[in-house]
Amino acid sequence: MERSLRAARGATYVYFVLCGILMGAWVVHIPVVEERVGISHATLGGLLVLLGLGAFLGMQVAGPLTDRLGARVVVPASGVLCGASLILPGIAQDPWTLAGALLVFGFCNGCLDVSMNAHAVHVEKAYGRPVMSGFHATFSVGGVVAALAAASATAVGLRPVAGMAVMGAVGIVVALVSARALMPAPAVSGSPAAEGADPAAEGAALAPGDKASPTGGGTGRVWLLAVLALMVMLCEGAANDWSALHMQDVLGASTGTAAFAYGTFAAAMTVGRLLTDRCVARFGSMAILRYGSALAAAGITLVALCPWMWAAFVGWALFGLGLSGTVPQLFSAAGHADPAAAGANVSRVAGLGYVGMLAGPALIGWLTRLVALDHAFILLTLLCVTTALGAGVLRTASVGRTPRSETAPVGH
C-alpha cells in the first residue's frame, strides 16, 4: 500500500508539472504566434478570452466525468488531449483559426487541471495529511521548464511550431506512461469507477481517523469556497498582469527592473506553496487562508501607498507569499466536502476561480480610468480582507491535524 500510494503521489506531481509545461509552452510562444497570424495586441487580448472560456467549459465537463469514470481514465486522457492540442495555435493561419485553436486548447487544459486536482484530493485523503500545496508548487516549475525548453529549441534552430509539436508529443507520452500509478477512485456505492478498485488503495483513502471533510459539505458551502477562490485568484491575475507595469509607470523603474516585480511575486508564491503543507499540518487550513489573506492585504497595501521602489518589491513579495497557500486550501476543502463528488466540487471552485483570474487584470484596467494604478490596487486589499473574514468556512478537523498513529504509514 505504501509503495502504491507513493507512486500515486509521484504521478500527481508529474501531471501538475505537465500541465504547467503545456500551458507555459503556449505562453512563451505567444509573440511568435501573434506576429505570424498578423493580429494586434487588442485582438490577441480578445482571443485570449476564448482560451479562458474553453478552460472553464473543460473544467465543468471533466469534474463530474472524473467522479464517474475515475482519475485513472480522465487524467491521462486529458493529458493526451492537451498535448495533442498544443500544436493547434502554432499552425493557426488567421484570427478565426487561432480563435478555434485557443478554444480547443483551453478546453483540454481545463479538463487536465480539474481532473488532476480531483486526483490530488484523493491522494491527500489517503495520506491523512496536507500535500495539496506541494502539487500546486510544481505547476510553477512546469512553466520554468517550458521557458527553458523553448530557449533551447531556439538556440538549436528549431522552428517554434516544431518546438510546440515536440513538447506536445512528449506530453502525450508522459501522460500515458504515468497513468498506471494513479489511484483508483475511492469506493462509492453506485459509482462505476469504484468497481474493481484496489482494496489496498481503498483502505488508504478511507484510513481510520481521517477527518478531512468540512462540516456540512453541501453545495452552498462549496459555492462559498468558489466565491473565495474567485477573490484570491482575481488578486493573483491582477498581480500577473499589472505588477511590472506598476513598477515602470508609477515608480519609474526601467523595463528590466520592472520585470523583477512579477519575478518577486512568482518566486514568493512558489516558495510559499512549498512550505504551506507543513504549516497546514501544524496550524490548520483555516489559519492559512485567514492569515495568508491578511498578509497579502498588508503586502498589496504597501504597494499601493508607498512611493519607494524597495517597498514595492517587499509588498509584491508579501502579496505572493500570502496568496500562495490560499487556493490549494480551497481546492482541497471542496474536494473533501463530498468524496463521491470531488471532481464536480473542484470544478465549481476552480471554474469560478479561473473567472476571477481572467477578470482581475480587466477590472484593474477599468479602475485606472477612474483612479491612478497604485490606488486601484486598494480593491485587492479589500478582497483579501474579505477572504480573511470568510476563512471560517474552513473550520474543520484538518487533514494535517489527524494524529500520526491514525494515518496510513507513509512518508515523503
Side-chain angles (χ1 to χ4, degrees):
M1 179 176 68
E2 180 178 354
R3 180 178 298 177
S4 63
L5 189 52
R6 284 182 174 177
R9 186 183 182 187
T12 309
Y13 280 126
V14 169
Y15 282 107
F16 270 79
V17 173
L18 176 62
C19 189
I21 288 175
L22 295 176
M23 179 55 71
W26 152 245
V27 170
V28 298
H29 287 104
I30 285 177
V32 175
V33 173
E34 180 186 40
E35 182 179 357
R36 194 190 68 255
V37 175
I39 55 177
S40 66
H41 293 334
T43 301
L44 176 65
L47 292 176
L48 290 176
V49 173
L50 293 175
L51 178 71
L53 175 62
F56 178 81
L57 295 175
M59 289 174 182
Q60 306 318 302
V61 170
L65 205 59
T66 302
D67 294 330
R68 180 166 182 79
L69 302 180
R72 270 189 173 174
V73 175
V74 181
V75 174
S78 299
V80 169
L81 291 174
C82 195
S85 62
L86 176 62
I87 189 62
L88 297 180
I91 60 176
Q93 299 297 318
D94 54 59
W96 292 104
T97 54
L98 180 58
L102 292 179
L103 189 65
V104 172
F105 177 64
F107 181 89
C108 298
N109 185 265
C111 289
L112 178 57
D113 194 316
V114 159
S115 60
M116 71 184 187
N117 269 288
H119 181 261
V121 168
H122 294 310
V123 172
E124 183 176 64
K125 188 173 181 65
Y127 263 81
R129 57 185 172 82
V131 295
M132 179 66 81
S133 294
F135 294 138
H136 281 250
T138 56
F139 176 86
S140 301
V141 173
V144 174
V145 172
L148 294 175
S152 300
T154 301
V156 299
L158 196 64
R159 293 172 55 225
V161 174
M164 295 174 75
V166 169
M167 279 192 272
V170 171
I172 291 173
V173 173
V174 171
L176 292 173
V177 170
S178 303
R180 292 186 61 186
L182 296 175
M183 288 177 57
V188 179
S189 179
S191 169
E195 297 176 6
D198 184 351
E202 268 180 40
L206 303 174
D210 196 343
K211 305 172 183 176
S213 298
T215 306
T219 302
R221 180 176 291 271
V222 170
W223 282 115
L224 181 54
L225 293 169
V227 170
L228 295 177
L230 182 147
M231 290 191 287
V232 296
M233 292 180 72
L234 189 153
C235 292
E236 184 178 342
N240 290 344
D241 282 28
W242 290 102
S243 53
L245 286 171
H246 165 262
M247 293 292 292
Q248 190 169 356
D249 295 349
V250 176
L251 300 182
S254 66
T255 302
T257 301
F260 280 106
Y262 172 70
T264 300
F265 170 80
M269 283 275 289
T270 302
V271 171
R273 284 178 171 171
L274 290 171
L275 299 175
T276 293
D277 286 332
R278 293 184 182 276
C279 293
V280 173
R282 181 164 185 176
F283 303 109
S285 58
M286 184 178 70
I288 298 301
L289 183 61
R290 174 166 292 161
Y291 298 113
S293 298
L295 180 63
I300 197 62
T301 302
L302 186 64
V303 171
L305 301 181
C306 289
W308 306 297
M309 201 173 298
W310 65 267
F313 279 116
V314 172
W316 286 119
L318 294 176
F319 193 50
L321 189 63
L323 291 178
S324 62
T326 56
V327 171
Q329 304 320 304
L330 296 169
F331 280 21
S332 180
H336 289 302
D338 181 1
N345 287 338
V346 170
S347 72
R348 292 175 182 134
V349 175
L352 203 56
Y354 204 85
V355 169
M357 181 169 284
L358 292 173
L363 187 56
I364 293 298
W366 180 82
L367 284 176
T368 58
R369 299 179 179 181
L370 306 175
V371 297
L373 175 58
D374 49 350
H375 296 159
F377 289 155
I378 295 298
L379 171 66
L380 307 183
T381 299
L382 297 176
L383 292 176
C384 289
V385 170
T386 302
T387 302
L389 294 175
V393 70
L394 295 183
R395 187 177 286 111
T396 177
S398 171
V399 174
R401 305 300 287 271
T402 304
R404 172 64 77 179
S405 61
E406 297 177 351
T407 62
V410 295
H412 284 285

